[in-house]
Amino acid sequence: MPTLKITPRSGDQISVEAATGQTLMEVLRERGDVEALCGGQCACATCHVHIDATWMSIVGEPGETETELLGFSMEKQQNSRLSCQIHLSDAMDGLTLAIAAAEG
Ligand code: FES
């Protein structure tokens, strides 16, 4: 059961417990942190997050479709990921991330 350290758009970092096997987007959507308009189909980019750089090797790099979609974002950084494409595991206990600013 990983505990996540999330910085929402509104400010201060909070700790949130998540279930292994959930996607990161599901956790964030439930909290109202992201809209996730496409429901996790890697088609909207409204679940965009910035992963703390020290966690990128655990979380991994975005896939081809995800990279393409992130390419349209003004908020894209080297540590950008779409949270619907991240399946939480016990190895992600302590995962630290910030919600990217809303676009459009
Ligand atoms: S929820 Fe639409 S791309 Fe992640």
Side-chain angles (χ1 to χ4, degrees):
M1 188 177 258
T3 299
L4 311 174
K5 294 178 185 171
I6 301 169
T7 303
R9 292 186 185 121
S10 56
D12 297 338
Q13 187 183 75
I14 46 148
S15 289
V16 175
E17 286 200 356
T20 301
Q22 268 188 303
T23 67
L24 176 56
M25 175 276 277
E26 289 168 329
V27 177
L28 301 176
R29 182 176 61 183
E30 198 168 305
R31 290 181 25 81
D33 287 328
V34 298
E35 290 177 281
L37 291 176
C38 77
Q41 299 301 305
C42 199
C44 72
T46 60
C47 66
H48 187 175
V49 296
H50 296 137
I51 302 292
D52 184 280
T54 59
W55 282 93
M56 279 305 279
S57 61
I58 304 258
V59 171
E61 297 296 321
E64 201 176 318
T65 307
E66 186 181 345
T67 300
E68 207 171 297
L69 201 51
L70 284 167
F72 295 109
S73 172
M74 302 285 284
E75 300 297 327
K76 183 178 186 296
Q77 298 179 6
Q78 221 167 2
N79 57 342
S80 283
R81 288 295 315 265
L82 296 179
S83 59
C84 66
Q85 302 303 301
I86 298 172
H87 293 266
L88 297 171
S89 68
D90 290 339
M92 295 180 189
D93 186 34
L95 177 64
T96 306
L97 62 123
I99 313 300
E103 297 184 69

XYZ file of all heavy atoms in Angstrom:
767
model
N 0.844 -1.201 0.000
C 0.000 0.000 0.000
C 0.876 1.248 0.000
O 1.346 1.686 1.062
C -0.917 -0.023 1.240
C -1.941 1.082 1.219
S -3.057 0.991 2.629
C -4.489 0.277 1.869
N 1.158 1.786 -1.172
C 2.050 2.945 -1.231
C 1.411 4.223 -0.696
O 0.222 4.452 -0.882
C 2.359 3.087 -2.723
C 1.236 2.413 -3.419
C 0.702 1.362 -2.493
N 2.202 5.004 -0.008
C 1.781 6.345 0.395
C 2.405 7.331 -0.578
O 3.600 7.266 -0.864
C 2.246 6.641 1.837
O 1.642 5.690 2.714
C 1.830 8.040 2.262
N 1.567 8.204 -1.099
C 2.008 9.175 -2.100
C 2.142 10.547 -1.466
O 1.370 10.895 -0.574
C 0.990 9.241 -3.243
C 0.545 7.905 -3.826
C -0.569 8.119 -4.844
C 1.707 7.164 -4.450
N 3.095 11.315 -1.947
C 3.237 12.709 -1.505
C 2.853 13.591 -2.685
O 3.592 13.680 -3.666
C 4.667 12.977 -1.058
C 5.046 12.187 0.176
C 6.480 12.432 0.566
C 6.857 11.520 1.728
N 8.298 11.573 1.998
N 1.699 14.205 -2.549
C 1.106 14.925 -3.675
C 1.083 16.426 -3.395
O 0.630 16.856 -2.335
C -0.347 14.440 -3.901
C -0.354 12.936 -4.191
C -1.023 15.221 -5.023
C -1.741 12.312 -4.177
N 1.548 17.200 -4.370
C 1.372 18.647 -4.293
C 0.271 19.028 -5.276
O 0.466 18.964 -6.491
C 2.671 19.404 -4.635
O 3.700 18.970 -3.744
C 2.470 20.907 -4.504
N -0.920 19.360 -4.760
C -2.024 19.735 -5.647
C -1.800 21.130 -6.240
O -0.899 21.851 -5.812
C -3.255 19.720 -4.730
C -2.745 19.739 -3.340
C -1.290 19.377 -3.354
N -2.622 21.512 -7.196
C -2.473 22.839 -7.808
C -2.642 23.940 -6.772
O -2.064 25.007 -6.901
C -3.512 23.014 -8.918
C -3.251 22.123 -10.096
C -4.184 22.406 -11.237
N -3.967 21.452 -12.313
C -4.898 20.642 -12.784
N -6.127 20.695 -12.335
N -4.612 19.785 -13.739
N -3.429 23.652 -5.749
C -3.724 24.683 -4.760
C -2.595 24.900 -3.762
O -2.663 25.824 -2.956
C -5.000 24.316 -4.020
O -4.861 23.047 -3.450
N -1.586 24.046 -3.736
C -0.485 24.376 -2.824
C 0.181 23.269 -2.072
O 0.902 22.495 -2.663
N -0.053 23.188 -0.751
C 0.798 22.404 0.130
C 0.742 20.898 -0.109
O -0.314 20.334 -0.372
C 0.423 22.686 1.588
C 0.676 24.134 1.955
O 1.497 24.784 1.277
O 0.036 24.617 2.904
N 1.916 20.282 0.046
C 2.036 18.841 -0.149
C 1.254 18.074 0.914
O 1.273 18.432 2.088
C 3.516 18.441 -0.076
C 3.766 16.994 -0.439
C 5.232 16.625 -0.290
O 5.756 16.455 0.813
N 5.916 16.531 -1.416
N 0.591 17.004 0.491
C -0.144 16.159 1.415
C 0.249 14.702 1.176
O 0.713 14.349 0.098
C -1.666 16.292 1.212
C -1.990 16.225 -0.279
C -2.205 17.574 1.776
C -3.304 15.595 -0.506
N 0.042 13.863 2.184
C 0.289 12.425 2.039
C -1.035 11.718 1.835
O -2.010 11.996 2.538
C 0.965 11.874 3.296
O 2.284 12.351 3.364
N -1.065 10.807 0.870
C -2.295 10.084 0.534
C -1.965 8.603 0.401
O -1.004 8.242 -0.285
C -2.866 10.609 -0.815
C -4.075 9.787 -1.253
C -3.233 12.078 -0.705
N -2.769 7.765 1.047
C -2.568 6.321 0.912
C -3.295 5.821 -0.317
O -4.423 6.210 -0.586
C -3.070 5.602 2.157
C -2.152 5.781 3.329
C -2.352 4.719 4.391
O -3.258 3.880 4.245
O -1.584 4.746 5.367
N -2.633 4.954 -1.069
C -3.233 4.408 -2.286
C -3.139 2.892 -2.241
O -2.393 2.331 -1.442
C -2.487 4.943 -3.502
N -3.889 2.241 -3.104
C -3.843 0.781 -3.168
C -2.933 0.349 -4.313
O -2.957 0.934 -5.394
C -5.242 0.233 -3.380
N -2.150 -0.684 -4.069
C -1.318 -1.261 -5.117
C -2.223 -1.734 -6.256
O -3.281 -2.309 -6.008
C -0.525 -2.461 -4.553
O 0.263 -1.985 -3.473
C 0.366 -3.077 -5.602
N -1.815 -1.449 -7.490
C -2.600 -1.885 -8.642
C -3.517 -0.805 -9.192
O -3.925 -0.877 -10.343
N -3.852 0.170 -8.353
C -4.611 1.332 -8.851
C -3.717 2.115 -9.796
O -2.501 2.060 -9.679
C -4.911 2.291 -7.687
C -6.214 2.104 -6.971
C -6.450 3.239 -5.987
O -5.625 3.472 -5.109
N -7.563 3.913 -6.125
N -4.330 2.884 -10.687
C -3.492 3.837 -11.409
C -3.396 5.102 -10.564
O -4.287 5.403 -9.760
C -4.040 4.197 -12.813
O -5.258 4.919 -12.670
C -4.235 2.959 -13.679
N -2.323 5.829 -10.790
C -2.146 7.094 -10.078
C -3.307 8.034 -10.399
O -3.802 8.740 -9.523
C -0.801 7.711 -10.489
C -0.460 9.072 -9.925
C -0.492 9.087 -8.404
C 0.917 9.516 -10.438
N -3.757 8.028 -11.643
C -4.888 8.884 -12.039
C -6.119 8.606 -11.180
O -6.821 9.529 -10.777
C -5.213 8.670 -13.524
C -6.432 9.418 -14.026
S -8.000 8.562 -13.715
C -8.072 7.420 -15.072
N -6.415 7.332 -10.902
C -7.610 6.991 -10.121
C -7.561 7.642 -8.740
O -8.570 8.131 -8.237
C -7.754 5.474 -10.021
C -8.153 4.841 -11.343
C -8.037 3.326 -11.357
O -7.156 2.763 -10.656
O -8.807 2.707 -12.090
N -6.383 7.637 -8.154
C -6.218 8.266 -6.842
C -6.448 9.771 -6.949
O -7.164 10.368 -6.146
C -4.796 7.993 -6.286
C -4.589 8.699 -4.958
C -4.546 6.508 -6.164
N -5.862 10.370 -7.966
C -5.937 11.833 -8.125
C -7.348 12.278 -8.516
O -7.832 13.307 -8.052
C -4.917 12.298 -9.160
C -3.453 11.971 -8.844
C -2.553 12.410 -9.993
C -3.014 12.612 -7.537
N -7.998 11.506 -9.348
C -9.358 11.865 -9.781
C -10.337 11.800 -8.599
O -11.193 12.664 -8.447
C -9.816 10.922 -10.898
C -11.205 11.247 -11.436
C -11.592 10.378 -12.591
N -11.629 8.968 -12.231
C -11.878 7.986 -13.074
N -12.098 8.239 -14.344
N -11.885 6.731 -12.668
N -10.171 10.777 -7.792
C -11.031 10.623 -6.613
C -10.905 11.819 -5.671
O -11.858 12.252 -5.046
C -10.629 9.339 -5.883
C -11.665 8.830 -4.918
C -11.327 7.428 -4.459
O -11.160 6.547 -5.320
O -11.223 7.241 -3.242
N -9.719 12.379 -5.611
C -9.481 13.546 -4.752
C -9.887 14.857 -5.418
O -9.847 15.910 -4.795
C -7.983 13.642 -4.420
C -7.462 12.577 -3.488
C -5.978 12.792 -3.209
N -5.563 14.172 -3.374
C -5.739 15.140 -2.454
N -6.295 14.853 -1.303
N -5.336 16.367 -2.700
N -10.176 14.793 -6.715
C -10.513 16.011 -7.450
C -9.291 16.787 -7.915
O -9.386 17.950 -8.285
N -8.127 16.124 -7.911
C -6.890 16.801 -8.329
C -6.778 16.900 -9.848
O -6.129 17.810 -10.360
C -5.664 16.043 -7.800
C -5.468 16.225 -6.313
O -5.815 17.302 -5.795
O -4.974 15.289 -5.662
N -7.317 15.923 -10.557
C -7.277 15.937 -12.026
C -8.666 15.606 -12.559
O -9.473 14.965 -11.881
C -6.251 14.912 -12.596
C -4.846 15.232 -12.140
C -6.638 13.485 -12.255
N -8.917 16.029 -13.805
C -10.217 15.751 -14.418
C -10.262 14.368 -15.059
O -11.275 13.693 -15.003
C -10.521 16.806 -15.489
C -10.797 18.177 -14.916
C -11.011 19.188 -16.028
O -10.006 19.647 -16.602
O -12.177 19.475 -16.321
N -9.181 13.979 -15.712
C -9.106 12.668 -16.377
C -10.286 12.463 -17.322
O -11.010 11.473 -17.244
C -9.026 11.550 -15.331
N -10.456 13.390 -18.234
C -11.632 13.421 -19.106
C -11.804 12.170 -19.960
O -12.930 11.779 -20.261
C -11.575 14.662 -20.011
C -11.760 16.005 -19.296
C -11.578 17.158 -20.265
C -13.133 16.072 -18.627
N -10.729 11.548 -20.368
C -10.862 10.366 -21.243
C -10.976 9.072 -20.449
O -11.063 7.990 -21.025
C -9.707 10.295 -22.236
S -8.149 9.710 -21.524
N -10.947 9.176 -19.137
C -11.140 7.990 -18.306
C -9.954 7.044 -18.289
O -10.101 5.868 -17.964
N -8.786 7.543 -18.664
C -7.584 6.705 -18.583
C -7.188 6.074 -19.905
O -6.400 5.130 -19.927
N -7.716 6.592 -21.004
C -7.431 6.013 -22.327
C -6.207 6.625 -22.998
O -5.954 6.383 -24.174
C -8.654 6.210 -23.247
C -9.924 5.537 -22.743
C -9.728 4.028 -22.583
O -9.343 3.342 -23.512
N -9.967 3.533 -21.377
N -5.472 7.437 -22.291
C -4.277 8.101 -22.837
C -4.648 8.955 -24.049
O -4.024 8.883 -25.105
C -3.205 7.076 -23.200
S -1.555 7.794 -23.358
N -5.717 9.744 -23.888
C -6.216 10.523 -25.015
C -6.544 11.978 -24.685
O -6.975 12.715 -25.568
C -7.464 9.848 -25.574
N -6.361 12.415 -23.427
C -6.793 13.777 -23.095
C -5.706 14.633 -22.431
O -5.736 15.844 -22.520
C -8.019 13.736 -22.189
S -7.675 13.191 -20.506
N -4.799 14.010 -21.731
C -3.709 14.694 -21.017
C -4.180 15.559 -19.847
O -3.403 16.366 -19.333
C -2.838 15.514 -21.968
N -5.424 15.412 -19.428
C -5.881 16.176 -18.263
C -5.458 15.507 -16.941
O -5.850 15.971 -15.873
C -7.409 16.380 -18.273
O -8.052 15.101 -18.256
C -7.860 17.173 -19.480
N -4.673 14.462 -17.026
C -4.166 13.790 -15.816
C -2.657 13.999 -15.681
O -1.983 13.237 -15.000
C -4.494 12.306 -15.872
S -3.624 11.448 -17.198
N -2.163 15.047 -16.318
C -0.726 15.351 -16.383
C -0.136 15.658 -14.993
O -0.681 16.464 -14.256
C -0.581 16.566 -17.313
C 0.814 16.955 -17.652
N 1.084 17.954 -18.548
C 2.024 16.518 -17.215
C 2.390 18.106 -18.667
N 2.988 17.248 -17.861
N 0.972 14.996 -14.678
C 1.674 15.265 -13.417
C 3.169 15.427 -13.686
O 3.684 14.989 -14.714
C 1.468 14.121 -12.390
C 0.013 14.014 -11.988
C 1.992 12.783 -12.903
N 3.838 16.042 -12.732
C 5.294 16.127 -12.738
C 5.811 15.246 -11.601
O 5.525 15.510 -10.426
C 5.758 17.577 -12.564
C 5.337 18.462 -13.692
N 4.828 19.723 -13.518
C 5.342 18.246 -15.030
C 4.540 20.251 -14.700
N 4.835 19.377 -15.629
N 6.531 14.214 -11.980
C 7.086 13.268 -11.005
C 8.392 13.845 -10.467
O 9.219 14.337 -11.249
C 7.374 11.912 -11.695
C 6.098 11.317 -12.324
C 8.039 10.931 -10.745
C 5.046 10.877 -11.358
N 8.580 13.759 -9.151
C 9.860 14.192 -8.586
C 10.988 13.457 -9.314
O 10.918 12.231 -9.499
C 9.870 13.875 -7.082
C 11.125 14.390 -6.415
O 12.163 13.711 -6.518
O 11.064 15.469 -5.803
N 12.003 14.193 -9.719
C 13.059 13.630 -10.569
C 13.700 12.371 -9.978
O 14.070 11.453 -10.706
C 14.120 14.693 -10.825
N 13.781 12.302 -8.655
C 14.436 11.145 -8.032
C 13.594 9.868 -8.188
O 14.089 8.772 -7.949
C 14.695 11.393 -6.530
O 13.448 11.658 -5.890
C 15.607 12.582 -6.316
N 12.350 10.022 -8.570
C 11.452 8.862 -8.717
C 11.308 8.419 -10.167
O 10.653 7.397 -10.438
C 10.079 9.195 -8.136
C 10.071 9.126 -6.657
C 10.291 10.149 -5.776
C 9.874 7.957 -5.856
N 10.244 9.696 -4.491
C 9.980 8.348 -4.505
C 9.622 6.618 -6.154
C 9.835 7.433 -3.462
C 9.472 5.714 -5.115
C 9.579 6.125 -3.785
N 11.861 9.126 -11.103
C 11.631 8.804 -12.516
C 12.137 7.409 -12.892
O 11.539 6.731 -13.723
C 12.256 9.874 -13.423
C 11.398 11.122 -13.586
S 9.717 10.798 -14.165
C 9.970 10.619 -15.940
N 13.225 6.961 -12.272
C 13.748 5.639 -12.642
C 12.808 4.531 -12.168
O 12.744 3.459 -12.768
C 15.152 5.441 -12.069
O 15.107 5.521 -10.670
N 12.077 4.765 -11.100
C 11.119 3.760 -10.600
C 9.834 3.817 -11.420
O 9.280 2.795 -11.819
C 10.778 4.043 -9.110
C 12.055 4.093 -8.276
C 9.737 3.053 -8.594
C 12.365 2.891 -7.463
N 9.374 5.026 -11.679
C 8.103 5.198 -12.410
C 8.288 4.845 -13.886
O 7.393 4.253 -14.496
C 7.616 6.658 -12.253
C 6.430 6.944 -13.151
C 7.256 6.925 -10.800
N 9.422 5.189 -14.435
C 9.706 4.862 -15.831
C 9.351 5.994 -16.786
O 8.694 6.967 -16.427
N 9.800 5.824 -18.002
C 9.581 6.830 -19.042
C 8.219 6.608 -19.699
O 7.708 5.498 -19.711
C 10.684 6.719 -20.107
C 12.084 6.995 -19.591
C 12.254 8.422 -19.104
O 11.704 9.336 -19.739
O 12.934 8.618 -18.076
N 7.641 7.685 -20.274
C 6.357 7.528 -20.961
C 6.474 6.683 -22.223
O 7.524 6.650 -22.863
C 5.967 8.975 -21.311
C 7.205 9.775 -21.192
C 8.123 9.061 -20.257
N 5.396 6.007 -22.554
C 5.350 5.225 -23.789
C 5.172 6.143 -24.993
O 5.102 7.366 -24.860
N 5.056 5.529 -26.173
C 5.027 6.288 -27.421
C 3.812 7.213 -27.519
O 3.944 8.409 -27.794
C 5.018 5.298 -28.592
C 5.484 5.900 -29.897
C 5.556 4.844 -30.989
O 6.035 3.727 -30.704
O 5.115 5.144 -32.102
N 2.622 6.681 -27.288
C 1.399 7.486 -27.379
C 1.400 8.581 -26.327
O 1.020 9.716 -26.582
C 0.155 6.588 -27.188
O 0.232 5.514 -28.108
C -1.131 7.357 -27.409
N 1.847 8.223 -25.142
C 1.904 9.196 -24.042
C 2.870 10.332 -24.383
O 2.559 11.512 -24.174
C 2.336 8.468 -22.766
C 2.301 9.344 -21.522
C 2.746 8.602 -20.279
O 2.808 7.351 -20.301
O 3.035 9.273 -19.279
N 4.008 9.988 -24.920
C 5.003 11.002 -25.302
C 4.421 11.952 -26.348
O 4.596 13.170 -26.270
C 6.268 10.329 -25.870
O 6.812 9.492 -24.865
C 7.308 11.357 -26.289
N 3.698 11.365 -27.296
C 3.082 12.159 -28.360
C 2.081 13.155 -27.764
O 2.073 14.337 -28.104
C 2.354 11.206 -29.299
C 2.223 11.690 -30.721
C 1.683 10.571 -31.591
O 2.355 9.533 -31.722
O 0.572 10.752 -32.096
N 1.257 12.678 -26.871
C 0.231 13.514 -26.242
C 0.875 14.617 -25.387
O 0.466 15.787 -25.433
C -0.669 12.620 -25.391
C -2.058 13.092 -25.026
C -2.826 13.550 -26.263
C -2.812 11.954 -24.344
N 1.887 14.252 -24.634
C 2.577 15.242 -23.794
C 3.247 16.316 -24.647
O 3.429 17.451 -24.204
C 3.627 14.550 -22.913
C 3.068 13.782 -21.706
C 4.146 12.891 -21.093
C 2.516 14.745 -20.666
N 3.576 15.966 -25.882
C 4.217 16.905 -26.794
C 3.350 18.119 -27.100
O 3.849 19.168 -27.492
N 2.045 17.995 -26.903
C 1.130 19.105 -27.153
C 0.968 20.013 -25.932
O 0.298 21.032 -25.998
C -0.265 18.584 -27.551
C -0.277 17.842 -28.853
C -0.453 16.469 -28.887
C -0.106 18.529 -30.056
C -0.458 15.779 -30.096
C -0.115 17.848 -31.265
C -0.293 16.469 -31.287
N 1.556 19.624 -24.818
C 1.336 20.347 -23.564
C 2.323 21.489 -23.364
O 3.534 21.320 -23.544
C 1.461 19.379 -22.384
O 1.427 20.105 -21.180
N 1.800 22.629 -22.954
C 2.645 23.775 -22.606
C 3.377 23.521 -21.286
O 4.355 24.188 -20.972
C 1.786 25.044 -22.437
C 0.969 25.428 -23.639
S 1.968 26.142 -24.936
C 2.262 27.766 -24.264
N 2.867 22.585 -20.510
C 3.413 22.307 -19.176
C 4.402 21.143 -19.190
O 4.831 20.690 -18.135
C 2.267 21.986 -18.204
C 1.256 23.104 -18.038
C 1.879 24.355 -17.440
O 2.797 24.235 -16.629
O 1.448 25.455 -17.820
N 4.740 20.649 -20.363
C 5.618 19.481 -20.443
C 7.000 19.784 -19.881
O 7.596 20.806 -20.200
C 5.747 19.005 -21.884
C 6.586 17.739 -22.008
C 6.654 17.248 -23.430
C 7.368 15.914 -23.534
N 8.759 15.978 -23.136
N 7.458 18.881 -19.046
C 8.815 18.947 -18.508
C 9.451 17.582 -18.709
O 8.770 16.617 -19.081
C 8.789 19.283 -17.010
C 8.164 20.629 -16.693
C 8.143 20.911 -15.192
O 8.682 20.159 -14.389
N 7.512 21.998 -14.822
N 10.731 17.484 -18.382
C 11.424 16.206 -18.541
C 10.816 15.113 -17.650
O 10.906 13.932 -17.961
C 12.893 16.392 -18.183
C 13.797 15.641 -19.128
C 15.229 16.081 -18.974
O 15.557 16.922 -18.122
N 16.097 15.531 -19.778
N 10.210 15.551 -16.551
C 9.637 14.598 -15.595
C 8.118 14.509 -15.725
O 7.439 14.138 -14.783
C 10.025 15.000 -14.167
C 9.580 16.414 -13.830
O 9.278 17.210 -14.717
N 9.531 16.726 -12.552
N 7.600 14.854 -16.885
C 6.150 14.777 -17.108
C 5.709 13.339 -17.338
O 6.392 12.581 -18.030
C 5.756 15.587 -18.350
O 5.737 16.955 -18.073
N 4.558 12.984 -16.766
C 3.898 11.708 -17.063
C 2.393 11.934 -17.030
O 1.904 12.869 -16.401
C 4.243 10.641 -15.996
C 5.661 10.092 -16.028
C 6.011 9.311 -17.274
N 5.005 8.362 -17.697
C 4.993 7.050 -17.388
N 5.967 6.543 -16.676
N 4.028 6.266 -17.823
N 1.690 11.072 -17.737
C 0.234 11.046 -17.626
C -0.095 10.019 -16.557
O 0.277 8.843 -16.676
C -0.398 10.696 -18.978
C -0.140 11.729 -20.082
C -0.772 11.286 -21.393
C -0.662 13.108 -19.683
N -0.778 10.472 -15.510
C -0.944 9.614 -14.335
C -1.791 8.381 -14.612
O -1.707 7.394 -13.881
C -1.517 10.426 -13.173
O -2.758 11.001 -13.514
N -2.589 8.389 -15.678
C -3.397 7.195 -15.986
C -2.532 6.059 -16.509
O -2.988 4.914 -16.582
C -4.506 7.519 -16.984
S -3.945 7.987 -18.628
N -1.306 6.362 -16.870
C -0.418 5.332 -17.416
C 0.532 4.772 -16.354
O 1.415 3.978 -16.656
C 0.376 5.914 -18.594
C -0.506 6.452 -19.715
C -1.456 5.386 -20.248
O -1.012 4.344 -20.728
N -2.763 5.629 -20.144
N 0.339 5.184 -15.108
C 1.206 4.723 -14.022
C 0.414 3.810 -13.093
O -0.556 4.236 -12.461
C 1.770 5.926 -13.229
C 2.616 6.789 -14.165
C 2.580 5.460 -12.036
C 3.057 8.105 -13.553
N 0.808 2.558 -13.042
C 0.174 1.588 -12.149
C 0.984 1.532 -10.864
O 2.179 1.229 -10.889
C 0.080 0.216 -12.823
C -0.853 0.220 -13.994
N -2.180 -0.141 -13.887
C -0.668 0.607 -15.272
C -2.768 -0.001 -15.067
N -1.876 0.459 -15.929
N 0.327 1.811 -9.774
C 1.030 1.924 -8.495
C 1.481 0.560 -7.983
O 0.751 -0.421 -8.085
C 0.124 2.606 -7.467
C -0.257 4.049 -7.827
C -1.325 4.568 -6.875
C 0.971 4.951 -7.801
N 2.684 0.532 -7.447
C 3.229 -0.696 -6.867
C 3.821 -0.362 -5.500
O 3.998 0.810 -5.164
C 4.320 -1.269 -7.776
O 5.441 -0.398 -7.772
N 4.138 -1.402 -4.742
C 4.730 -1.165 -3.423
C 6.073 -0.433 -3.538
O 6.481 0.277 -2.618
C 4.913 -2.492 -2.683
C 3.571 -3.074 -2.264
O 2.581 -2.301 -2.188
O 3.498 -4.290 -2.032
N 6.746 -0.607 -4.670
C 8.035 0.076 -4.886
C 7.859 1.586 -4.978
O 8.823 2.336 -4.895
C 8.697 -0.449 -6.153
N 6.613 2.031 -5.131
C 6.345 3.469 -5.257
C 5.930 4.101 -3.931
O 5.391 5.206 -3.912
C 5.279 3.713 -6.339
C 5.763 3.319 -7.718
S 4.507 3.605 -8.976
C 5.267 2.792 -10.392
N 6.180 3.413 -2.839
C 5.879 3.976 -1.532
C 6.752 5.215 -1.313
O 7.980 5.120 -1.351
C 6.146 2.939 -0.438
C 5.698 3.427 0.925
O 4.686 4.150 0.996
O 6.371 3.086 1.911
N 6.106 6.349 -1.131
C 6.838 7.614 -0.971
C 6.888 8.434 -2.245
O 7.453 9.542 -2.257
N 6.301 7.906 -3.316
C 6.307 8.609 -4.610
C 5.853 10.057 -4.441
O 4.824 10.339 -3.838
C 5.376 7.887 -5.595
C 5.214 8.540 -6.972
C 6.536 8.536 -7.727
C 4.142 7.817 -7.779
N 6.652 10.956 -4.973
C 6.438 12.383 -4.791
C 6.145 13.014 -6.143
O 6.883 12.777 -7.113
C 7.692 13.018 -4.150
O 8.000 12.298 -2.955
C 7.478 14.478 -3.824
N 5.083 13.789 -6.210
C 4.674 14.374 -7.505
C 3.870 15.641 -7.296
O 3.360 15.898 -6.214
C 3.814 13.358 -8.273
C 2.517 12.981 -7.572
C 1.327 13.271 -8.459
C 2.543 11.538 -7.137
N 3.802 16.403 -8.363
C 2.972 17.612 -8.365
C 2.020 17.536 -9.544
O 2.367 16.990 -10.600
C 3.864 18.854 -8.484
N 0.825 18.080 -9.363
C -0.147 18.128 -10.451
C 0.245 19.273 -11.386
O 0.471 20.401 -10.926
C -1.574 18.388 -9.919
C -1.898 17.474 -8.715
C -2.600 18.231 -11.044
C -1.845 16.012 -8.984
N 0.337 18.984 -12.677
C 0.670 20.037 -13.647
C -0.469 21.043 -13.708
O -1.628 20.704 -13.466
C 0.922 19.410 -15.013
N -0.126 22.277 -14.036
C -1.137 23.314 -14.153
C -2.159 22.938 -15.228
O -1.813 22.289 -16.220
C -0.470 24.636 -14.514
N -3.396 23.347 -15.004
C -4.459 23.069 -15.987
C -4.185 23.867 -17.250
O -3.648 24.971 -17.197
C -5.808 23.423 -15.396
N -4.585 23.312 -18.400
C -4.361 24.000 -19.669
C -5.700 24.223 -20.366
O -6.657 23.524 -20.119
C -3.467 23.168 -20.564
C -2.092 22.978 -19.975
C -1.161 22.241 -20.907
O -0.800 22.817 -21.939
O -0.817 21.091 -20.611
N -5.676 25.160 -21.264
C -6.849 25.387 -22.118
C -7.894 26.079 -21.352
O -9.033 25.977 -21.354
S -6.980 10.373 -18.185
Fe -6.906 11.073 -20.230
S -4.809 10.883 -20.721
Fe -4.891 10.206 -18.668
